[in-house]
Amino acid sequence: MQIQHLTRWVLAVVALSVAAATAGACSGDDAKGPSEGVSNAGDYRGVLVTPPLEKPALTFTDTSGRPYDLVRETEGTVTLLYLGYTHCPDVCPMHMVDLNAVLAKLPGDISAKIKVVFVTVDPERDTPEALGRWLGAFNSSFIGLTPDAPTLARLLYEFGMGEPHRTDLGSGNYAVSHAAYVMAFTPDNLAHTVYPSGVTREDWAHDLTRLVKEGWKPS
Amino acid sequence: MNKPGALALVTVVALVLMLAAAACGDDDSGGKSSGAVQTRVAPVLVAINMLDSAGLHAIDTSITQDGKIPSTAHTTAVHLQAAVLVTDWPQELKDPAKKLAALLGDFAMAIDTDKPDRKKVTDASNKVHAGEHDFSHQVWDYLAKEAGLTGGDDTHAESAATPSPAAAKIQVTDVTARPTTNDVSAVYFTVKNPGPADRLVKATVDPSVAQMAQLHTMVTEGATAKMQQVDGIDVPGGGEVVLKPGGFHVMLMNVQKPLKEGDSLPVTLTFEKGGTVQVIAAVKTLAGGGMN
C-alpha cells in the first residue's frame, strides 16, 4: 500500500478523525477503527506525519538539575516525546498512565529501548524538582525536562504549536496549551507517527514493538 | 454551620413556605387542610433536616482522608439511628429508613471498640455517607410531591436547590476522580437522562477538599491541545453524556489534601432543570486508551 502523504496541516484533521473513530468504533459498520484508518503505511497504528517531525536539537534541564542534550541522550532509542504540564488534570496524566501501563506489558528487551520524555510547557510552575516528583508518581524512569524560555519558544515553533498559550482559570490557576499527541521518534531521529489521546494500549504496544525491532520501515 | 446544613435549612424553609402556599390553594378548593399536610410531613421535615445537617460529610471526610474518627462520630451515629427509627415515615420511605438505620448501626458498632479496624470503619462511614445522600433524595422527592410540585412545574424546586421529581430521573454513575500528583485532579462520570434535555451547569466539592471546581473540556487545534472552561455540558433528553479522560471533566484546583487511590470524594452536580444531585467519586487511576 502507498504511504498516504499528509502534511502537518492536515495532521490535525487525521488526529481528530482517529480520536473520533476510536470513540465511535462501535457505532456502526461505516466507522473505521483506529487501526484500519491509519494502517496504510505498513500497518502502523499511530497517525502518520509526512514530512516526519525532526527531533529537536535542544538542550534542557533534567529533573536532577543537569543539562540534557535531547539528541545525544536519546540516541539509538525509540523516544516518546510529550509536551505537557503537571497542573494539567486530564490529558497529561492520562498519557503518562497509559505509557506506564504499555511499557509494563512489553517484554523487557523492548521496553529497555524506549525512553519516555516529558518536556514541560509550564517551566514557571514545573521546576525540575516539581516535575521529577510528578513524573515519579507514574514511572520513575520517565525523563522530565524543563526548557528555558527561548528553548521553549523554539520547541513550540518547531512542532507548529505556536506561542505558549495561557488560559486564566481564576485564583492564580491557569491552563497551558500543550501537545495534542505523543510523538514517537525512531533511531533516525524522526517521528513518523504520533499518538493522540484515545489510542488504545494494544495499538501502542503493537507500534512500539515494531518501531523498536525494525526502526521506521513502512511496508 | 457547615454548607450542607445551611443548604438543608434553606430547603426546609422553602418547602414549608411552599406547603403553606399549596395549603392555601387547597382551602379554596375544599381539599386537604393545611393542618393535615403539615402534621403529616412535620416529623419527616424534622428528621431529614437533622440527618442532612448532622455533619456525616465532615465525619466521612475526616475518616476517609485523615484516618481520624471525630470524637462526636459515635454519638452522632447513635442519635441519628434513634431519630430514624422513631420517626413515623410514610409508607414509601419505611424500608429505605430501615436500611439507613442499619447502616448507622453498623457504623456506630465499627467505631465503638478500643482498636477500630480502619478499613472497616472507612467502609462503614462511606456507606453511611452515601446512604444518607440516597435517603435524603428519596425524602425530598416525597416532600416535593407532597408540596404539589410536579415535573412540569419545577421552578420552585430549582430555586430551593432541591431535586424535583424530574431530577430524580437523572442518574449519575461511574463517578471517579484521578489521584492527585500535585494539587489538581479531574472528576469523570456518566450522566443518564431519561427525561427531557437538560444541562449540567455546575459541579462543586467541599472547599476542604478542593477550593475550586470547574467544568472543562479539551480543545484540539492543530498540533496543540488545551483545556477550556465551559458554561455547561448538555445532557440530551433520553440520552447520556460521558465525562471521560481526553474530553469533558470536572477540574479540581487547589486540592487541599492528597487524593489517594481508594479515597472517596463527595461531589454536588447542579443541572439546569433537574436541580442538584449528590454523588460520591471513587478515587482511582484512570487510563485513556482502554483495551479493545
Side-chain angles (χ1 to χ4, degrees), chain A residues 86 90 98 134 169 173 178 180 201, chain B residues 181-182 188 214 223 225 246 287 289:
Chain A
T86 72
D90 180 48
D98 279 352
W134 185 81
L169 298 175
N173 293 287
H178 55 83
R201 293 181 189 179
Chain B
T181 32
N182 46 24
Y188 307 96
Q214 290 175 358

Side-chain angles (χ1 to χ4, degrees), chain A residues 140-151:
Chain A
S140 55
S141 77
F142 287 0
I143 297 155
L145 301 179
T146 307
D148 59 21
T151 307

Side-chain angles (χ1 to χ4, degrees), chain B residues 88-106:
Chain B
D88 184 19
W89 300 102
Q91 192 56 40
E92 63 196 282
L93 292 172
K94 278 192 194 324
D95 278 346
K98 261 188 218 160
K99 275 182 201 153
L100 180 62
L103 291 176
L104 285 160
D106 292 345

Side-chain angles (χ1 to χ4, degrees), chain B residues 208-241:
Chain B
S208 67
V209 176
Q211 286 176 342
M212 285 170 68
Q214 290 175 358
L215 301 175
H216 281 193
T217 190
M218 289 298 308
V219 180
T220 302
E221 289 167 358
T224 309
K226 63 184 174 197
M227 269 190 339
Q228 203 160 288
Q229 195 179 351
V230 292
D231 295 337
I233 298 171
D234 286 324
V235 188
E240 65 172 39
V241 64

